[in-house]
Amino acid sequence: MDTLSYKTISANKETVQKEWVVVDASGQVLGRIATKIAKLLRGKYKPNFTPHVDCGDNVIVINAEKVVLTGKKWNDRTYIRFTGYPGGQRMYTPADLMKKGPRFLMEKVVKGMLPKNRLGSQMMRNLHVYAGSEHPHEAQQPKVIDINTLK
């Protein structure tokens, strides 16, 4: 019997099949949808997932303005950023980010769930967030997926 009949296949940049998917965020809880988007960007739903390769899909998020936060998190949760200068600590809430644009809130939450290295920055370039239901990526023929069916 051939004992080497099953070999582990490691994906690389040439063998990865990247797809375009559309995710509808209307009525979804922000953190729960962000974890699933981060997994799609990372490629964890694919059988040939390799941690050091960008094998995730290109994700288009529509209706980002209709995302939901439970409880009083719109005003009670705070994000902190530091400008680098003395007294330069700035605090803002999800409501402030939503006023700036729904894209900024979704990108901040998803970015926090990706690796903090060059690979994570490359994965963030595959995320496209839009406030409404229209997007300019029809030429890529994205397939619409139901985010509730993913674990």
Side-chain angles (χ1 to χ4, degrees):
M1 182 174 163
D2 186 14
T3 59
L4 297 175
S5 62
Y6 299 107
K7 293 185 179 181
T8 302
I9 298 172
S10 182
N12 57 23
K13 193 167 33 171
E14 289 79 27
T15 62
V16 168
Q17 268 104 32
K18 294 177 85 63
E19 298 176 349
W20 285 80
V21 295
V22 176
V23 174
D24 189 6
S26 59
Q28 301 287 330
V29 178
L30 177 65
R32 293 180 185 266
I33 192 171
T35 55
K36 294 175 183 178
I37 291 171
K39 279 185 176 183
L40 281 169
L41 287 171
R42 192 119 194 255
K44 289 215 142 188
Y45 290 116
K46 294 187 175 184
N48 62 347
F49 168 69
T50 308
H52 63 278
V53 177
D54 181 14
C55 53
D57 295 330
N58 294 293
V59 180
I60 303 165
V61 181
I62 57 173
N63 295 322
E65 63 193 8
K66 298 177 183 173
V67 78
V68 177
L69 279 174
T70 57
K72 300 179 184 177
K73 292 179 193 148
W74 282 111
N75 296 315
D76 288 355
R77 172 168 289 162
T78 57
Y79 299 118
I80 299 174
R81 135 183 118 75
F82 181 58
T83 63
Y85 290 96
Q89 185 170 334
R90 306 284 185 253
M91 300 178 82
Y92 50 94
T93 64
D96 297 336
L97 277 178
M98 197 59 121
K99 285 179 201 164
K100 189 176 175 185
R103 177 178 72 102
F104 297 104
L105 179 62
M106 184 68 75
E107 286 178 354
K108 173 162 183 52
V109 175
V110 172
K111 185 177 181 179
M113 298 179 184
L114 291 176
K116 278 60 170 184
N117 53 23
R118 284 179 282 184
L119 183 61
S121 301
Q122 177 62 40
M123 290 175 187
M124 275 303 290
R125 290 187 205 121
N126 297 331
L127 177 65
H128 309 278
V129 182
Y130 299 100
S133 61
E134 298 296 320
H135 62 86
H137 302 285
E138 290 299 327
Q140 282 75 25
Q141 297 169 347
K143 64 177 187 177
V144 179
I145 62 167
D146 184 19
I147 201 75
N148 295 323
T149 61
L150 301 176
K151 279 196 160 193

